[in-house]
C-alpha cells in the first residue's frame, strides 16, 4: 500500500521534474479553477518537454474554449508503454472525478486548496489559505522556474478570477491580487476572459432569469425572497444556463435569506406518479446561518451558502423551508 | 492670473503638507471613484491634523454610506478666516462639479486620471495610465507617508474596484492589482464592499431589468439586441436603479451591438405636445465601432461604448439607429 503524504513545494517541484506522461484530471462539473489549473500546468509541462494531457469526466462549457491555447497539442499523446502519472487538480475527494475513478483508482499527485481534501493521493500539495487551486499551481510553476506564455497566464488567471468571483468574494486574499498582478505582466486579454466568465449570458439564460425573477416571492417583511424553478421552466434549458440562479434572490436589497427551489428534472423523466424532488439552495447575509437552516432539513453546506433536497408538492416543500427560515430569522 | 501647471508626486506631497482647510470636491453624479478618492484623502488629511471636508453637488447613493467612516468627523469644520484650499478629485473638467463651480471658480489642486483633463486647476497631479483616480490618490498617500486605517483603505479600494468593474475591464492594470493587494493588507471587509458596489439590487431595479429583458428585440441575425425603456417603464424609478441597464443587451452571447433606447423623462414633464427625446446608449464588441455609429447620429463616446440623443417617435428613432448599425455590421 502507498503511503499518503502531504508534500512541500520543493518536493512537488522534484516530482514534476522527475516524472513524465502526465494525465491531469479535473473534477466533474468542471469550473474555471479546475480547468485553468489543469491547462495552465499542462502548458508548463509541455514547455519542460514533458508529455501531458488534461481530462475531465464531463463536457466542458464552450466558455472555456480558449484554455487549450495554453498547451502544445503536439505533446498531448502519452508515450506508449511508459508509466502514466495521474495528477488531480482542484479535486478534494477522488469521488469528484466521476467515472474516471474506474480508470484512475490510484492518484500519484494531488494539487488542491480545499480544507475538505481527503488526502487520497500518494502525494498532495495543498494550501488551504489559497482562494483557488490555480494559486497553488502558480506557486508550483514559479518553483519549476518555467517562463510562462500569455496563454498559460490566462489559464491560471481564469482559475483565480472564477474562484474569487473576480476578486469580490470573501476568500479573496492579498495573494490573489499579487498573483493576478504577476500573471498580467505577461500580457493577455483580461477583459475578454472576464467577459466570457462573468458577463456573457445566453438568450436561454436571460429568459430563465427573467421568468425566475418575475415569479419571485417575498416573506417575513421582505427579509426572505424565494424563486421557484419548475421542470416546465427548466425544460430544454442547458444545465449551465440554470446554474448560479441561486445567487439572484440574495442580491436584492434588504433580503437576508435568498432561496431557490429547483425541481429535479431527471427524476421526472420516468413519469412515475409520485412525489417530485426539489433541490433547495439557500444564501444568507451575515446574521443568518444557511447551514443551520439546511441541516434541519437534512442538508448541509457553508454558513452563507447551503442546500438540501426535499420531496413533495412545491407548496409543501416551500412551507417546510419557510418554517425553518422563520426560526432562524427570529 | 494663476499659471496652471502639472506637478509631480513630490510637489503634490509638499502642497498637501503645507496647506490646510481643504475642501475636496467630487464630480456631480458621483461614482465610487470620485467619492472613494475624496473620503480616502480626507481621512488621511485628518490623520495629518488638517481640517478637511468632502462635498458634491449631487445626492450620494446610500450604497456609499460606509465611506464617511474613513474620516474624522471632528475635523470637517474648516477654520474660519483662514484660506480655503479647493481640491478636485476625479474631475476632468470644472464643468463637471455642477453648480459648485459658482462658489469654487478657481481650483487650487486637481487629482485625476482622465486623459481628457482640461488642466483648469492651478496645480494638477495626473496619471493617465491609472485605471482610477483613487490609484493616483493612493500614490499621494504613500508619498505623504501616512499609515492608513482600514476605513481609508476601503475608500481607496472602492475607487479602484468600481472604476475597473472589480478588475474586469480592459483598463485594469498590473498596478490596479498591486494597489488592491497593498490596501487589503490593512484588513477591511472586501466582500461587503463588493456586495454593495456590484451585487446589491433594489426590487425596483429587478422589476425594471425584468421588463426591459422581456421586451428585448433582436436584429441582423441576432448580432444586435435592443432594449427600449419608455417613460412609463421608468415612472417612479430612482435614476440610480435605471443606470447601467446599457450593459445588459451586450452581455447576451453572440450580440455584437447592444442598444438601449431610453426616453428622457424630464422632457416629458411639461407635457408639450411634440416630439419625445430618447437617449441612445450603444455598446459593441471588438469588431464594431460604437463611436462611429453614434457620431453619425450626432453623438459621441468611446470605441466600445458611445451614445447620442434623438427626437421623434420610438419607431422612427429605432429605425434611424438600426440603419447606422446595419452599415457598421456590413
Amino acid at each position: 500500500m502507498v503511503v499518503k503524504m502531504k508534500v512541500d513545494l520543493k518536493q512537488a517541484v522534484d516530482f514534476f521534474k522527475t516524472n513524465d506522461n502526465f494525465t491531469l484530471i479535473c473534477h466533474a462539473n468542471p469550473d474555471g479553477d479546475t480547468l485553468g489549473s489543469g491547462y495552465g500546468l499542462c502548458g508548463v509541462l509541455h514547455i519542460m518537454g514533458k508529455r501531458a494531457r488534461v481530462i475531465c469526466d464531463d463536457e466542458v462549457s464552450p466558455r472555456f474554449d480558449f484554455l487549450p491555447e495554453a498547451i502544445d497539442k503536439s505533446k498531448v499523446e502519452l508515450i506508449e508503454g511508459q508509466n502514466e502519472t495521474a495528477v488531480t487538480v482542484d479535486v478534494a475527494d477522488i469521488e469528484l472525478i466521476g467515472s474516471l475513478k474506474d480508470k484512475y483508482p490510484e492518484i500519484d499527485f494531488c494539487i488542491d486548496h480545499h480544507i475538505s481534501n481527503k488526502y487520497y493521493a500518494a502525494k498532495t500539495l495543498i494550501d488551504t489559505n489559497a482562494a483557488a487551486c490555480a494559486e497553488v499551481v502558480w506557486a508550483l510553476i514559479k518553483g519549476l522556474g518555467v517562463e510562462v506564455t500569455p496563454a498559460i497566464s490566462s489559464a491560471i488567471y481564469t482559475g483565480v478570477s472564477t474562484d474569487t468571483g473576480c476578486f469580490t468574494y470573501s476568500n479573496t486574499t492579498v495573494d490573489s491580487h499579487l498573483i493576478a498582478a504577476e500573471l498580467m505582466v505577461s500580457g493577455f486579454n483580461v477583459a475578454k476572459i472576464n467577459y466570457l466568465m462573468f458577463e456573457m449570458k445566453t438568450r436561454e439564460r436571460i429568459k430563465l432569469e427573467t421568468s425566475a425573477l418575475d415569479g419571485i416571492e417575498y416573506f417575513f417583511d421582505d427579509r426572505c425572497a424565494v424563486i421557484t424553478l419548475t421542470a416546465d421552466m427548466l425544460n430544454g434549458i442547458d444545465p449551465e444556463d440554470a446554474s448560479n440562479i441561486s445567487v439572484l434572490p440574495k442580491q436584492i436589497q434588504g433580503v437576508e435569506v435568498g432561496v431557490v427551489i429547483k425541481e429535479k428534472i431527471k427524476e421526472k423523466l420516468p413519469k412515475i406518479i409520485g412525489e417530485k424532488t426539489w433541490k433547495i439552495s439557500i444564501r444568507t447575509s451575515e446574521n443568518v446561518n444557511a447551514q443551520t437552516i439546511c441541516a434541519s432539513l437534512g442538508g448541509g453546506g457553508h454558513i452563507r451558502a447551503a442546500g438540501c433536497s426535499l420531496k413533495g408538492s412545491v407548496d409543501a416543500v416551500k412551507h417546510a423551508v419557510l418554517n425553518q427560515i422563520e426560526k432562524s430569522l427570529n
Side-chain angles (χ1 to χ4, degrees), chain A:
Chain A
M1 164 159 176
V2 183
V3 179
K4 316 282 196 220
M5 63 181 283
K6 218 172 127 174
V7 299
D8 62 21
L9 192 59
K10 198 190 160 299
Q11 291 167 310
V13 166
D14 286 345
F15 178 87
F16 284 92
K17 279 190 175 167
T18 52
N19 283 285
D20 202 343
N21 258 22
F22 294 93
T23 291
L24 308 178
I25 306 166
C26 299
H27 62 69
N29 291 316
D31 59 14
D33 194 21
T34 194
L35 294 167
S37 295
Y39 280 101
L41 179 56
C42 192
V44 165
L45 292 170
H46 289 165
I47 290 175
M48 291 166 69
K50 312 276 186 185
R51 295 265 154 187
R53 59 177 184 164
V54 180
I55 62 170
C56 180
D57 197 32
D58 280 326
E59 219 176 305
V60 174
S61 158
R63 251 174 232 273
F64 298 112
D65 276 353
F66 67 94
L67 286 176
E69 291 169 21
I71 65 173
D72 177 349
K73 282 170 197 71
S74 74
K75 295 204 179 85
V76 296
E77 292 290 333
L78 302 193
I79 305 156
E80 276 202 49
Q82 206 179 72
N83 278 343
E84 203 175 325
T85 311
V87 177
T88 54
V89 279
D90 197 39
V91 179
D93 184 333
I94 193 157
E95 301 300 329
L96 299 171
I97 66 173
S99 70
L100 289 172
K101 198 191 147 198
D102 300 338
K103 199 183 165 192
Y104 298 97
E106 291 186 359
I107 303 297
D108 300 300
F109 203 99
C110 164
I111 307 175
D112 194 23
H113 71 124
H114 291 96
I115 202 156
S116 55
N117 190 288
K118 293 271 176 65
Y119 296 95
Y120 56 87
K123 293 183 166 69
T124 300
L125 177 68
I126 189 165
D127 177 0
T128 56
N129 292 316
C133 179
E135 295 186 12
V136 189
V137 172
W138 181 239
L140 172 63
I141 292 172
K142 290 203 289 182
L144 289 166
V146 174
E147 199 174 316
V148 296
T149 61
I152 291 173
S153 290
S154 69
I156 302 298
Y157 176 89
T158 300
V160 178
S161 83
T162 51
D163 254 30
T164 59
C166 213
F167 311 96
T168 63
Y169 300 159
S170 55
N171 65 347
T172 310
T173 66
V174 169
D175 278 343
S176 310
H177 280 292
L178 289 178
I179 292 167
E182 286 176 350
L183 293 167
M184 280 183 69
V185 169
S186 77
F188 56 90
N189 193 334
V190 173
K192 189 182 155 193
I193 291 175
N194 288 321
Y195 167 74
L196 290 169
M197 296 301 118
F198 300 106
E199 277 192 53
M200 189 182 78
K201 295 178 180 185
T202 62
R203 287 176 68 163
E204 288 66 33
R205 163 73 186 203
I206 296 273
K207 266 187 219 154
L208 183 66
E209 218 174 286
T210 309
S211 67
L213 290 170
D214 256 345
I216 199 163
E217 296 171 287
Y218 296 91
F219 301 92
F220 314 127
D221 297 328
D222 303 342
R223 292 166 71 195
C224 172
V226 180
I227 280 175
T228 307
L229 298 176
T230 62
D232 283 345
M233 289 164 81
L234 294 165
N235 191 15
I237 298 275
D238 190 305
E240 191 185 300
D241 288 329
S243 74
N244 218 23
I245 290 272
S246 54
V247 304
L248 297 182
K250 178 61 198 61
Q251 286 179 349
I252 299 162
Q253 191 173 25
V255 169
E256 295 169 51
V257 185
V259 184
V260 171
I261 301 178
K262 192 165 133 187
E263 189 170 350
K264 279 199 184 169
I265 295 188
K266 278 183 191 163
E267 313 232 357
K268 203 196 166 198
L269 286 179
K271 294 257 182 203
I272 296 164
I273 295 164
E275 290 181 310
K276 291 175 175 179
T277 304
W278 304 82
K279 194 170 170 273
I280 290 94
S281 303
I282 294 186
R283 304 270 173 146
T284 57
S285 61
E286 282 177 14
N287 40 345
V288 188
N289 191 327
Q291 200 167 28
T292 311
I293 297 168
C294 290
S296 65
L297 295 162
H302 304 280
I303 303 177
R304 303 280 158 260
C308 60
S309 279
L310 293 175
K311 283 180 193 290
S313 71
V314 63
D315 287 337
V317 165
K318 205 185 287 177
H319 186 72
V321 173
L322 288 172
N323 260 348
Q324 291 305 324
I325 290 171
E326 191 171 23
K327 283 180 199 164
S328 283
L329 284 174
N330 288 340

